[in-house]
Amino acid sequence: MAGKTKVALVGIGKIALDQHVPAIAASPDWELAATVSRKGNVPGIPAFTDFAAFLAERPDVPVVSLCMPPVPRFDYAEAALLAGRHVMLEKPPGATLAEVHALEALARDRGLTLFATWHSRMAHAVAPARAWLKDATIKSAHITWREDVRKWHPGQDWVFEPGGMGVFDPGINALSILTEILPKPVHLTRARLEFPENRQTPIAAQLTFSGNVTADFDWRQEGPQTWDIAVTTDKGELALRMGGNVLEIDGKPVAGENTIMGEYPLLYTRMADLVAARQSDVDLSPMVHVADAMTLGERASTAAFHF
Ligand code: NAP
């Protein structure tokens, strides 16, 4: 894109402030031209509390980046597309698969860009891992994604409400990497989901896929956090650590960087390219695995959870 394109951030909360604002500020492609949020704002940036008012009053902003939780996101995305704006969706891209298909069709009909982002796919070592696995025979793979929900979602009750996806909110990041790096797709064959007795979504999940692929998601890990994917192949052992940011082959670091701060800048670079080409990028394969786990999984009740 020539020069900077105006973008509005909608839903100013943890991820908007932690990642989107700094990524836009450092980008040669984007200017943060407005925010829309009922309570949040970014100092120095024109702030709206109502999305319809923003769409009516700021026709000069062609792109919106939606950072609110998945359940309310569809209405904002649909309104934005109907108003002729290109749309970037935080992950997971929606509350249901069908609503994201509907947005994809609307964007296509209107010649607009829809980008369902997966920030973990932009982690430093994901592309090298994909390249290394391209000609490998996969014998087995295991995901360990264990983090502390109180640290990453402080007081965010929506993660435990219907549509909040529970531990799949971070787990879908692992699945976004898995679906990116494996040379052949896998499908879920079994799942066990642990629901706190006072909550609507799982706090832990153990998944089994075709091809000897397994996953262990848990939101109760205090202390050091674990975001690892280990793959056993005919070429040797691949390990992705730090959420896809560090690649080890046979126990030795070979690529990547131990920081998560490279992911969102690359998402905004990709969005700039998509808008320039009037293309969309909507891959729902990580969310299909979550939907399948919710459909097929056996359910166990576990201790009540309070923030
Ligand atoms: P959050 O801070 O709880 O929510 C972001 C903002 O969305 C809130 O501050 C709120 O702003 C707005 N919002 C909340 N409920 C809304 C509703 N019903 N209608 C309209 N706006 C609403 O959540 P977050 O952690 O930023 O996560 C948001 C998304 O980013 C999720 O999909 C999550 O998976 C993804 N994400 C989060 C992280 C993380 O570390 N937390 C990392 C990567 C991706 P106002 O009240 O001001 O309107």
Side-chain angles (χ1 to χ4, degrees), residues 89-111:
L89 303 170
E90 251 299 347
K91 51 63 54 174
T96 69
L97 293 162
E99 70 178 32
V100 187
H101 286 308
L103 293 176
E104 194 178 11
L106 184 57
R108 191 170 50 240
D109 290 349
R110 307 245 159 179

Side-chain angles (χ1 to χ4, degrees), residues 23-266:
I24 292 169
S27 170
D29 299 315
W30 298 102
E31 171 196 342
L32 181 56
T35 61
V36 188
S37 211
R38 298 162 309 174
K39 298 192 288 282
N41 64 72
V42 176
I45 304 298
F48 291 77
T49 53
D50 180 72
F51 194 53
F54 159 76
L55 291 172
E57 292 173 33
R58 294 298 302 271
D60 60 307
V61 182
V63 178
V64 299
S65 180
L66 302 182
C67 304
M68 71 281 293
V71 169
R73 202 179 297 132
F74 175 82
D75 289 345
Y76 287 81
E78 183 185 46
L81 292 167
L82 289 172
R85 314 303 163 91
H86 306 285
V87 174
M88 192 164 158
L89 303 170
E90 251 299 347
K91 51 63 54 174
T96 69
L97 293 162
E99 70 178 32
V100 187
H101 286 308
L103 293 176
E104 194 178 11
L106 184 57
R108 191 170 50 240
D109 290 349
R110 307 245 159 179
L112 295 165
T113 292
L114 180 70
F115 182 19
T117 67
W118 299 109
H119 66 84
S120 290
R121 284 187 177 172
M122 299 297 186
H124 293 291
V126 170
R130 178 187 168 98
W132 193 85
L133 288 172
K134 199 170 175 215
D135 58 356
T137 300
I138 313 292
K139 296 182 177 170
S140 65
H142 184 69
I143 300 171
T144 309
W145 224 253
R146 290 175 158 254
E147 63 175 55
D148 183 350
V149 62
R150 291 186 176 91
K151 176 175 166 67
W152 300 101
H153 292 281
Q156 293 178 7
D157 280 314
W158 64 263
V159 297
F160 286 114
E161 289 164 3
M165 298 192 192
V167 76
F168 289 108
D169 179 87
I172 204 168
N173 298 333
L175 297 174
S176 75
I177 297 175
L178 185 79
T179 48
E180 180 76 1
I181 64 173
L182 289 187
K184 285 187 199 151
V186 294
H187 60 270
L188 188 105
T189 57
R190 192 173 172 187
R192 182 174 182 277
L193 313 174
E194 294 179 45
F195 286 73
E197 62 187 20
N198 61 337
R199 299 287 185 169
Q200 296 284 327
T201 62
I203 197 164
Q206 299 91 45
L207 312 179
T208 306
F209 297 86
S210 58
N212 291 324
V213 177
T214 50
D216 169 26
F217 299 160
D218 203 313
W219 241 351
R220 297 167 295 195
Q221 178 154 311
E222 296 174 2
Q225 309 283 283
T226 310
W227 302 287
D228 290 349
I229 301 178
V231 187
T232 301
T233 80
D234 61 334
K235 294 167 68 178
E237 301 283 332
L238 175 147
L240 272 173
R241 304 202 187 282
M242 290 304 298
N245 280 294
V246 173
L247 174 63
E248 294 175 5
I249 302 295
D250 294 328
K252 295 195 186 75
V254 295
E257 208 180 319
N258 190 356
T259 170
I260 60 170
M261 294 310 286
E263 299 170 15
Y264 281 78
L266 288 178

